[in-house]
Amino acid sequence: MHKELTAKGKATRDRIIEGAAAVLREKDVSIATLDDVMARTRTSKSQLFHYFPTGKDELLLAVAHYEADQVLADQQPYLGCLDSWEAWQRWRDVVVERYEEQGEECSLGSLVLHLGRSTPGARDVVVALMRQWQASLATGIRALQSAGHLPADLDVERRAAALLAGIQGGVAILQSTGRADHLRAALDQGIGDLRRAAA
Amino acid sequence: MHKELTAKGKATRDRIIEGAAAVLREKDVSIATLDDVMARTRTSKSQLFHYFPTGKDELLLAVAHYEADQVLADQQPYLGCLDSWEAWQRWRDVVVERYEEQGEECSLGSLVLHLGRSTPGARDVVVALMRQWQASLATGIRALQSAGHLPADLDVERRAAALLAGIQGGVAILQSTGRADHLRAALDQGIGDLRRAAA
Protein backbone atom coordinates (compact mmCIF):
# COMPACT_ATOMS: atom_id res chain seq x y z
CA MET A 1 0.00 0.00 0.00
CA HIS A 2 2.13 2.90 1.26
CA LYS A 3 5.70 3.07 2.39
CA GLU A 4 6.64 2.09 5.91
CA LEU A 5 5.71 4.91 8.26
CA THR A 6 6.93 5.86 11.69
CA ALA A 7 4.31 5.93 14.45
CA LYS A 8 4.14 9.70 14.06
CA GLY A 9 3.83 9.39 10.30
CA LYS A 10 1.03 6.89 10.64
CA ALA A 11 -0.78 9.17 13.07
CA THR A 12 -0.56 12.06 10.60
CA ARG A 13 -1.75 9.87 7.73
CA ASP A 14 -4.70 8.64 9.83
CA ARG A 15 -5.55 12.21 10.79
CA ILE A 16 -5.64 13.22 7.12
CA ILE A 17 -7.87 10.26 6.25
CA GLU A 18 -10.29 10.98 9.09
CA GLY A 19 -10.40 14.66 8.15
CA ALA A 20 -11.02 13.80 4.52
CA ALA A 21 -13.79 11.41 5.59
CA ALA A 22 -15.41 14.24 7.58
CA VAL A 23 -15.19 16.55 4.56
CA LEU A 24 -16.76 13.89 2.33
CA ARG A 25 -19.65 13.34 4.71
CA GLU A 26 -20.54 17.00 4.25
CA LYS A 27 -19.59 17.61 0.64
CA ASP A 28 -20.14 15.50 -2.46
CA VAL A 29 -16.97 13.70 -3.60
CA SER A 30 -17.22 15.33 -7.04
CA ILE A 31 -16.91 18.83 -5.59
CA ALA A 32 -14.70 18.26 -2.53
CA THR A 33 -11.12 19.39 -3.17
CA LEU A 34 -7.73 18.66 -1.69
CA ASP A 35 -7.80 22.26 -0.43
CA ASP A 36 -10.87 21.36 1.66
CA VAL A 37 -8.95 18.45 3.16
CA MET A 38 -5.85 20.57 3.78
CA ALA A 39 -7.92 23.24 5.54
CA ARG A 40 -9.77 20.70 7.67
CA THR A 41 -6.68 18.76 8.67
CA ARG A 42 -4.29 21.74 8.83
CA THR A 43 -1.81 20.05 6.54
CA SER A 44 0.22 21.52 3.73
CA LYS A 45 0.14 20.37 0.14
CA SER A 46 3.60 18.85 0.50
CA GLN A 47 2.49 16.89 3.58
CA LEU A 48 -0.60 15.64 1.76
CA PHE A 49 1.43 14.50 -1.24
CA HIS A 50 4.02 12.93 1.05
CA TYR A 51 1.36 10.53 2.33
CA PHE A 52 -0.67 10.26 -0.90
CA PRO A 53 1.90 10.72 -3.67
CA THR A 54 -0.50 10.10 -6.58
CA GLY A 55 -3.06 12.55 -5.27
CA LYS A 56 -6.80 12.70 -4.82
CA ASP A 57 -7.80 9.19 -5.92
CA GLU A 58 -5.24 7.60 -3.63
CA LEU A 59 -6.60 9.61 -0.70
CA LEU A 60 -10.20 8.74 -1.70
CA LEU A 61 -9.36 5.06 -1.76
CA ALA A 62 -7.85 5.31 1.73
CA VAL A 63 -11.05 7.05 2.88
CA ALA A 64 -13.11 4.24 1.31
CA HIS A 65 -11.12 1.70 3.37
CA TYR A 66 -11.71 3.83 6.46
CA GLU A 67 -15.46 4.12 5.79
CA ALA A 68 -15.73 0.36 5.17
CA ASP A 69 -14.10 -0.24 8.56
CA GLN A 70 -16.61 2.18 10.08
CA VAL A 71 -19.55 0.22 8.68
CA LEU A 72 -18.45 -2.79 10.73
CA ALA A 73 -17.26 -0.77 13.74
CA ASP A 74 -20.69 0.90 13.98
CA GLN A 75 -22.25 -2.55 14.48
CA GLN A 76 -19.96 -3.44 17.37
CA PRO A 77 -19.89 -4.84 19.97
CA TYR A 78 -23.08 -6.57 18.80
CA LEU A 79 -21.91 -7.92 15.43
CA GLY A 80 -18.91 -9.57 17.10
CA CYS A 81 -20.95 -11.33 19.75
CA LEU A 82 -24.08 -12.83 18.16
CA ASP A 83 -24.27 -15.76 20.58
CA SER A 84 -27.87 -15.47 21.80
CA TRP A 85 -31.22 -14.47 20.29
CA GLU A 86 -31.16 -11.33 22.46
CA ALA A 87 -27.78 -10.40 20.95
CA TRP A 88 -29.20 -10.81 17.42
CA GLN A 89 -32.10 -8.55 18.32
CA ARG A 90 -29.80 -5.84 19.73
CA TRP A 91 -27.63 -6.06 16.62
CA ARG A 92 -30.72 -5.76 14.42
CA ASP A 93 -31.77 -2.58 16.26
CA VAL A 94 -28.31 -1.04 15.86
CA VAL A 95 -28.25 -1.76 12.12
CA VAL A 96 -31.68 -0.21 11.57
CA GLU A 97 -30.78 2.81 13.68
CA ARG A 98 -27.45 3.33 11.92
CA TYR A 99 -28.94 3.30 8.45
CA GLU A 100 -32.00 5.35 9.36
CA GLU A 101 -29.62 7.96 10.75
CA GLN A 102 -27.45 7.82 7.64
CA GLY A 103 -30.55 8.22 5.50
CA GLU A 104 -30.00 8.75 1.82
CA GLU A 105 -26.34 9.64 2.03
CA CYS A 106 -23.74 6.91 1.83
CA SER A 107 -20.20 8.18 1.85
CA LEU A 108 -18.72 4.76 1.04
CA GLY A 109 -21.16 4.18 -1.81
CA SER A 110 -20.43 7.59 -3.32
CA LEU A 111 -16.69 7.00 -3.05
CA VAL A 112 -16.88 3.61 -4.72
CA LEU A 113 -19.02 4.97 -7.55
CA HIS A 114 -16.69 7.94 -7.96
CA LEU A 115 -13.56 5.79 -8.06
CA GLY A 116 -15.31 3.45 -10.49
CA ARG A 117 -17.02 0.39 -9.13
CA SER A 118 -14.97 -1.91 -11.32
CA THR A 119 -11.53 -0.41 -10.64
CA PRO A 120 -9.51 -2.95 -8.66
CA GLY A 121 -8.96 -0.73 -5.61
CA ALA A 122 -12.61 0.21 -5.14
CA ARG A 123 -13.80 -3.29 -5.85
CA ASP A 124 -11.38 -4.73 -3.30
CA VAL A 125 -12.84 -2.47 -0.61
CA VAL A 126 -16.38 -3.69 -1.30
CA VAL A 127 -15.39 -7.34 -1.66
CA ALA A 128 -13.45 -7.25 1.62
CA LEU A 129 -16.29 -5.51 3.46
CA MET A 130 -18.86 -8.04 2.22
CA ARG A 131 -16.56 -10.93 3.12
CA GLN A 132 -15.90 -9.68 6.66
CA TRP A 133 -19.53 -8.79 7.28
CA GLN A 134 -20.73 -12.20 6.08
CA ALA A 135 -18.03 -13.96 8.13
CA SER A 136 -19.26 -12.17 11.27
CA LEU A 137 -22.84 -13.25 10.58
CA ALA A 138 -21.69 -16.83 9.93
CA THR A 139 -19.71 -16.81 13.19
CA GLY A 140 -22.87 -15.66 14.98
CA ILE A 141 -24.96 -18.44 13.45
CA ARG A 142 -22.30 -21.00 14.44
CA ALA A 143 -22.31 -19.60 17.99
CA LEU A 144 -26.06 -20.30 18.14
CA GLN A 145 -25.37 -23.82 16.87
CA SER A 146 -22.70 -24.38 19.52
CA ALA A 147 -25.08 -23.17 22.21
CA GLY A 148 -27.62 -25.71 20.99
CA HIS A 149 -30.04 -23.06 19.70
CA LEU A 150 -29.82 -24.19 16.07
CA PRO A 151 -29.49 -27.57 14.37
CA ALA A 152 -26.02 -28.59 13.25
CA ASP A 153 -27.04 -29.27 9.63
CA LEU A 154 -28.01 -25.67 8.85
CA ASP A 155 -26.45 -24.18 5.70
CA VAL A 156 -24.60 -21.47 7.61
CA GLU A 157 -22.91 -19.74 4.67
CA ARG A 158 -26.12 -19.52 2.66
CA ARG A 159 -28.01 -18.10 5.64
CA ALA A 160 -25.28 -15.54 6.21
CA ALA A 161 -25.09 -14.61 2.51
CA ALA A 162 -28.88 -14.27 2.22
CA LEU A 163 -29.07 -12.11 5.34
CA LEU A 164 -26.27 -9.89 4.06
CA ALA A 165 -28.03 -9.55 0.70
CA GLY A 166 -31.24 -8.57 2.48
CA ILE A 167 -29.42 -5.87 4.45
CA GLN A 168 -27.70 -4.50 1.34
CA GLY A 169 -31.00 -4.43 -0.55
CA GLY A 170 -32.83 -2.87 2.38
CA VAL A 171 -30.19 -0.15 2.58
CA ALA A 172 -30.28 0.40 -1.20
CA ILE A 173 -34.07 0.78 -1.12
CA LEU A 174 -33.79 3.13 1.88
CA GLN A 175 -31.32 5.25 -0.07
CA SER A 176 -33.61 5.33 -3.10
CA THR A 177 -36.96 5.81 -1.39
CA GLY A 178 -36.16 7.26 2.04
CA ARG A 179 -37.98 4.42 3.82
CA ALA A 180 -36.45 1.71 6.03
CA ASP A 181 -39.35 -0.76 5.78
CA HIS A 182 -37.45 -3.16 3.54
CA LEU A 183 -34.37 -3.11 5.75
CA ARG A 184 -36.53 -3.92 8.77
CA ALA A 185 -38.42 -6.63 6.84
CA ALA A 186 -35.17 -8.26 5.67
CA LEU A 187 -33.70 -8.34 9.17
CA ASP A 188 -36.89 -9.42 10.95
CA GLN A 189 -37.74 -12.07 8.38
CA GLY A 190 -34.14 -13.33 8.26
CA ILE A 191 -33.78 -13.57 12.04
CA GLY A 192 -37.35 -14.91 12.35
CA ASP A 193 -36.67 -17.68 9.86
CA LEU A 194 -33.45 -18.51 11.67
CA ARG A 195 -35.41 -18.85 14.92
CA ARG A 196 -37.97 -21.02 13.18
CA ALA A 197 -35.13 -23.23 11.93
CA ALA A 198 -34.45 -23.98 15.60
CA ALA A 199 -37.77 -25.76 15.93
CA MET B 1 -46.53 13.84 -18.25
CA HIS B 2 -46.58 14.79 -21.94
CA LYS B 3 -49.27 16.29 -24.09
CA GLU B 4 -51.94 14.11 -25.66
CA LEU B 5 -50.47 12.32 -28.62
CA THR B 6 -52.03 10.75 -31.66
CA ALA B 7 -51.39 7.04 -32.17
CA LYS B 8 -48.70 7.94 -34.70
CA GLY B 9 -47.20 10.48 -32.32
CA LYS B 10 -47.12 7.94 -29.53
CA ALA B 11 -45.45 5.40 -31.81
CA THR B 12 -42.73 7.94 -32.72
CA ARG B 13 -42.22 8.87 -29.07
CA ASP B 14 -41.92 5.18 -28.11
CA ARG B 15 -39.45 4.63 -30.93
CA ILE B 16 -37.27 7.47 -29.65
CA ILE B 17 -37.38 6.09 -26.11
CA GLU B 18 -36.47 2.58 -27.23
CA GLY B 19 -33.65 3.90 -29.39
CA ALA B 20 -32.34 6.02 -26.55
CA ALA B 21 -32.50 2.99 -24.26
CA ALA B 22 -30.42 1.02 -26.79
CA VAL B 23 -27.86 3.85 -26.94
CA LEU B 24 -27.67 3.97 -23.14
CA ARG B 25 -27.08 0.26 -22.86
CA GLU B 26 -23.95 0.74 -24.96
CA LYS B 27 -22.75 4.13 -23.83
CA ASP B 28 -22.54 5.66 -20.38
CA VAL B 29 -25.29 8.18 -19.70
CA SER B 30 -22.74 10.88 -18.92
CA ILE B 31 -21.23 10.69 -22.41
CA ALA B 32 -24.27 9.74 -24.56
CA THR B 33 -25.63 12.74 -26.47
CA LEU B 34 -28.90 13.69 -28.08
CA ASP B 35 -27.04 13.43 -31.40
CA ASP B 36 -26.44 9.72 -30.65
CA VAL B 37 -30.17 9.28 -30.08
CA MET B 38 -31.08 11.23 -33.21
CA ALA B 39 -28.71 9.12 -35.30
CA ARG B 40 -29.97 5.84 -33.85
CA THR B 41 -33.66 6.71 -34.19
CA ARG B 42 -33.38 8.72 -37.44
CA THR B 43 -35.15 11.68 -35.93
CA SER B 44 -34.41 15.39 -36.29
CA LYS B 45 -33.66 17.75 -33.45
CA SER B 46 -37.05 19.43 -33.93
CA GLN B 47 -38.81 16.05 -33.69
CA LEU B 48 -36.87 15.16 -30.55
CA PHE B 49 -37.73 18.45 -28.88
CA HIS B 50 -41.34 18.13 -30.00
CA TYR B 51 -41.66 15.00 -27.86
CA PHE B 52 -39.22 16.01 -25.12
CA PRO B 53 -39.51 19.82 -24.96
CA THR B 54 -37.18 20.30 -21.99
CA GLY B 55 -34.44 18.15 -23.49
CA LYS B 56 -32.08 15.44 -22.35
CA ASP B 57 -33.25 14.93 -18.75
CA GLU B 58 -36.87 14.57 -19.85
CA LEU B 59 -35.85 11.92 -22.37
CA LEU B 60 -33.66 10.17 -19.77
CA LEU B 61 -36.56 10.03 -17.33
CA ALA B 62 -38.76 8.47 -20.02
CA VAL B 63 -36.02 5.91 -20.65
CA ALA B 64 -35.85 5.19 -16.90
CA HIS B 65 -39.61 4.45 -16.93
CA TYR B 66 -39.08 2.21 -19.93
CA GLU B 67 -36.18 0.35 -18.29
CA ALA B 68 -38.17 -0.12 -15.07
CA ASP B 69 -40.98 -1.68 -17.10
CA GLN B 70 -38.38 -3.95 -18.74
CA VAL B 71 -37.17 -5.20 -15.34
CA LEU B 72 -40.63 -6.61 -14.66
CA ALA B 73 -41.32 -7.66 -18.27
CA ASP B 74 -38.09 -9.71 -18.27
CA GLN B 75 -39.48 -11.77 -15.37
CA GLN B 76 -42.72 -12.61 -17.18
CA PRO B 77 -44.68 -14.76 -17.59
CA TYR B 78 -43.25 -16.29 -14.39
CA LEU B 79 -43.55 -13.31 -12.03
CA GLY B 80 -47.23 -12.93 -12.90
CA CYS B 81 -48.08 -16.56 -12.22
CA LEU B 82 -46.36 -17.69 -9.00
CA ASP B 83 -49.08 -20.17 -8.06
CA SER B 84 -47.01 -23.33 -7.52
CA TRP B 85 -43.57 -24.17 -6.10
CA GLU B 86 -42.48 -25.11 -9.62
CA ALA B 87 -43.49 -21.66 -10.85
CA TRP B 88 -41.42 -20.04 -8.07
CA GLN B 89 -38.42 -22.13 -9.09
CA ARG B 90 -38.76 -21.16 -12.77
CA TRP B 91 -39.08 -17.49 -11.80
CA ARG B 92 -35.98 -17.81 -9.60
CA ASP B 93 -34.00 -19.21 -12.53
CA VAL B 94 -35.11 -16.39 -14.82
CA VAL B 95 -34.12 -13.71 -12.29
CA VAL B 96 -30.65 -15.21 -11.78
CA GLU B 97 -30.14 -15.60 -15.53
CA ARG B 98 -31.31 -12.05 -16.27
CA TYR B 99 -28.96 -10.45 -13.77
CA GLU B 100 -26.02 -12.70 -14.59
CA GLU B 101 -26.44 -11.67 -18.21
CA GLN B 102 -26.72 -8.01 -17.28
CA GLY B 103 -23.58 -8.34 -15.18
CA GLU B 104 -22.13 -5.18 -13.80
CA GLU B 105 -24.04 -2.80 -16.03
CA CYS B 106 -27.39 -1.52 -14.91
CA SER B 107 -28.90 1.00 -17.28
CA LEU B 108 -31.75 1.88 -14.90
CA GLY B 109 -29.41 2.32 -11.94
CA SER B 110 -27.06 4.56 -13.94
CA LEU B 111 -30.00 6.65 -15.16
CA VAL B 112 -31.40 7.10 -11.66
CA LEU B 113 -28.00 8.08 -10.27
CA HIS B 114 -27.44 10.47 -13.18
CA LEU B 115 -30.84 12.14 -12.79
CA GLY B 116 -30.25 12.38 -9.06
CA ARG B 117 -31.66 9.67 -6.84
CA SER B 118 -33.59 12.18 -4.75
CA THR B 119 -35.15 14.15 -7.61
CA PRO B 120 -38.90 13.50 -7.61
CA GLY B 121 -39.03 12.03 -11.13
CA ALA B 122 -36.22 9.52 -10.64
CA ARG B 123 -37.40 8.57 -7.17
CA ASP B 124 -40.94 7.96 -8.46
CA VAL B 125 -39.59 5.46 -11.01
CA VAL B 126 -37.79 3.46 -8.31
CA VAL B 127 -40.65 3.65 -5.80
CA ALA B 128 -43.17 2.49 -8.43
CA LEU B 129 -40.91 -0.37 -9.57
CA MET B 130 -40.36 -1.59 -6.01
CA ARG B 131 -44.09 -1.35 -5.27
CA GLN B 132 -45.11 -3.31 -8.38
CA TRP B 133 -42.42 -5.92 -7.92
CA GLN B 134 -43.34 -6.47 -4.27
CA ALA B 135 -47.04 -6.60 -5.15
CA SER B 136 -46.35 -9.36 -7.69
CA LEU B 137 -44.43 -11.37 -5.09
CA ALA B 138 -47.21 -10.86 -2.55
CA THR B 139 -49.80 -11.99 -5.11
CA GLY B 140 -47.71 -15.12 -5.67
CA ILE B 141 -47.51 -15.87 -1.95
CA ARG B 142 -51.29 -15.39 -1.65
CA ALA B 143 -51.80 -17.76 -4.59
CA LEU B 144 -49.85 -20.41 -2.66
CA GLN B 145 -52.06 -19.74 0.37
CA SER B 146 -55.22 -20.08 -1.72
CA ALA B 147 -53.96 -23.36 -3.12
CA GLY B 148 -53.46 -24.59 0.43
CA HIS B 149 -49.65 -24.67 0.13
CA LEU B 150 -49.07 -22.07 2.84
CA PRO B 151 -50.79 -21.26 6.14
CA ALA B 152 -53.28 -18.38 6.11
CA ASP B 153 -51.61 -16.50 8.97
CA LEU B 154 -48.33 -15.84 7.13
CA ASP B 155 -47.16 -12.20 7.10
CA VAL B 156 -47.36 -11.91 3.31
CA GLU B 157 -46.19 -8.30 2.93
CA ARG B 158 -43.16 -8.83 5.15
CA ARG B 159 -42.18 -11.99 3.25
CA ALA B 160 -42.55 -10.15 -0.06
CA ALA B 161 -40.61 -7.10 1.19
CA ALA B 162 -37.79 -9.25 2.59
CA LEU B 163 -37.53 -11.27 -0.62
CA LEU B 164 -37.43 -8.09 -2.70
CA ALA B 165 -34.71 -6.65 -0.42
CA GLY B 166 -32.69 -9.84 -0.84
CA ILE B 167 -32.93 -9.61 -4.63
CA GLN B 168 -31.93 -5.93 -4.65
CA GLY B 169 -28.99 -6.63 -2.37
CA GLY B 170 -27.96 -9.67 -4.37
CA VAL B 171 -28.00 -7.60 -7.55
CA ALA B 172 -26.10 -4.75 -5.88
CA ILE B 173 -23.40 -7.15 -4.70
CA LEU B 174 -23.27 -8.74 -8.18
CA GLN B 175 -22.73 -5.30 -9.68
CA SER B 176 -19.98 -4.51 -7.18
CA THR B 177 -18.17 -7.83 -7.13
CA GLY B 178 -19.13 -9.57 -10.37
CA ARG B 179 -20.48 -12.60 -8.50
CA ALA B 180 -24.10 -13.78 -8.32
CA ASP B 181 -23.69 -15.97 -5.19
CA HIS B 182 -25.57 -13.56 -2.95
CA LEU B 183 -28.44 -13.20 -5.41
CA ARG B 184 -28.75 -16.98 -5.57
CA ALA B 185 -28.49 -17.30 -1.77
CA ALA B 186 -31.19 -14.67 -1.22
CA LEU B 187 -33.59 -16.33 -3.65
CA ASP B 188 -32.91 -19.91 -2.55
CA GLN B 189 -33.04 -19.08 1.15
CA GLY B 190 -36.15 -16.93 0.73
CA ILE B 191 -38.05 -19.54 -1.28
CA GLY B 192 -36.69 -22.32 0.96
CA ASP B 193 -37.92 -20.60 4.10
CA LEU B 194 -41.29 -20.01 2.45
CA ARG B 195 -41.52 -23.74 1.72
CA ARG B 196 -40.55 -24.54 5.31
CA ALA B 197 -43.34 -22.21 6.49
CA ALA B 198 -45.70 -24.64 4.78
CA ALA B 199 -44.85 -27.34 7.29
Side-chain angles (χ1 to χ4, degrees):
Chain A
M1 289 286 288
H2 51 88
K3 41 185 158 320
E4 290 296 320
L5 296 173
T6 61
K8 190 168 168 243
K10 190 180 174 310
T12 305
R13 187 175 182 277
D14 287 350
R15 190 167 58 75
I16 295 172
I17 293 169
E18 282 170 41
V23 168
L24 291 167
R25 284 176 177 218
E26 290 165 13
K27 219 169 186 174
D28 192 83
V29 57
S30 58
I31 54 171
T33 64
L34 288 181
D35 285 332
D36 293 327
V37 176
M38 282 152 55
R40 168 81 63 142
T41 57
R42 294 162 197 259
T43 43
S44 65
K45 189 162 240 168
S46 71
Q47 265 184 305
L48 205 64
F49 279 89
H50 173 72
Y51 293 106
F52 305 97
T54 62
K56 187 173 174 182
D57 277 5
E58 189 178 2
L59 173 59
L60 292 181
L61 190 59
V63 176
H65 276 284
Y66 169 83
E67 289 288 3
D69 289 343
Q70 286 304 305
V71 168
L72 297 177
D74 288 351
Q75 298 175 58
Q76 301 301 2
Y78 311 100
L79 181 61
C81 186
L82 293 170
D83 57 358
S84 68
W85 294 119
E86 295 68 36
W88 278 84
Q89 196 57 38
R90 281 196 299 271
W91 165 74
R92 174 263 184 222
D93 292 345
V94 168
V95 172
V96 171
E97 196 181 340
R98 182 209 192 271
Y99 283 102
E100 282 196 315
E101 202 170 295
Q102 181 179 281
E104 292 161 43
E105 302 308 320
C106 175
S107 186
L108 176 58
S110 305
L111 278 165
V112 169
L113 281 175
H114 181 84
L115 290 166
R117 202 152 51 179
S118 58
T119 57
R123 167 166 295 202
D124 290 348
V125 174
V126 176
V127 169
L129 172 59
M130 292 301 127
R131 189 179 295 138
Q132 287 174 49
W133 200 336
Q134 185 171 326
S136 294
L137 295 174
T139 300
I141 297 172
R142 287 199 190 89
L144 291 174
Q145 284 180 316
S146 301
H149 296 313
L150 283 175
D153 63 352
L154 206 75
D155 188 339
V156 174
E157 284 305 329
R158 195 174 85 174
R159 289 264 168 196
L163 191 52
L164 180 62
I167 296 168
Q168 299 310 308
V171 169
I173 297 175
L174 165 59
Q175 281 162 7
S176 293
T177 68
R179 298 185 56 112
D181 308 65
H182 288 83
L183 177 59
R184 269 192 289 268
L187 285 162
D188 292 338
Q189 192 67 56
I191 297 172
D193 285 332
L194 203 55
R195 290 192 84 138
R196 267 180 290 276
Chain B
M1 290 287 285
H2 50 89
K3 44 186 157 315
E4 289 298 322
L5 295 174
T6 60
K8 189 168 168 248
K10 190 179 175 310
T12 306
R13 186 175 183 276
D14 287 350
R15 189 167 58 76
I16 296 171
I17 293 169
E18 282 169 41
V23 168
L24 291 168
R25 284 175 179 219
E26 290 166 12
K27 218 170 186 172
D28 192 85
V29 57
S30 58
I31 54 170
T33 64
L34 288 181
D35 285 332
D36 294 327
V37 176
M38 283 153 54
R40 168 82 64 141
T41 58
R42 292 160 199 260
T43 43
S44 65
K45 189 162 240 171
S46 70
Q47 265 184 307
L48 205 65
F49 278 90
H50 173 72
Y51 292 105
F52 305 96
T54 62
K56 187 173 173 183
D57 277 4
E58 188 178 2
L59 173 58
L60 293 181
L61 190 58
V63 176
H65 276 284
Y66 169 84
E67 289 289 3
D69 289 343
Q70 286 304 307
V71 168
L72 297 177
D74 287 351
Q75 298 175 58
Q76 302 299 359
Y78 311 101
L79 181 62
C81 187
L82 293 171
D83 57 358
S84 68
W85 294 119
E86 295 70 34
W88 279 83
Q89 197 56 39
R90 282 196 299 272
W91 164 73
R92 174 262 184 224
D93 293 343
V94 167
V95 172
V96 171
E97 196 181 338
R98 181 206 193 273
Y99 283 102
E100 282 196 316
E101 202 170 294
Q102 182 179 281
E104 290 161 45
E105 301 308 318
C106 175
S107 186
L108 177 58
S110 305
L111 277 166
V112 169
L113 281 175
H114 180 83
L115 290 166
R117 201 152 53 177
S118 58
T119 58
R123 166 166 295 202
D124 290 348
V125 173
V126 176
V127 169
L129 173 59
M130 292 301 126
R131 189 178 296 139
Q132 287 173 51
W133 200 337
Q134 186 171 325
S136 295
L137 296 174
T139 299
I141 297 173
R142 287 201 189 89
L144 292 174
Q145 285 180 314
S146 300
H149 296 312
L150 282 174
D153 63 352
L154 206 77
D155 188 339
V156 174
E157 284 306 328
R158 196 174 83 174
R159 288 262 170 199
L163 191 52
L164 179 62
I167 296 168
Q168 299 310 307
V171 169
I173 296 173
L174 165 58
Q175 282 163 8
S176 293
T177 68
R179 300 187 55 114
D181 309 63
H182 288 84
L183 177 58
R184 269 192 288 268
L187 284 163
D188 292 339
Q189 193 65 56
I191 296 172
D193 284 331
L194 203 54
R195 289 191 86 137
R196 266 179 291 278

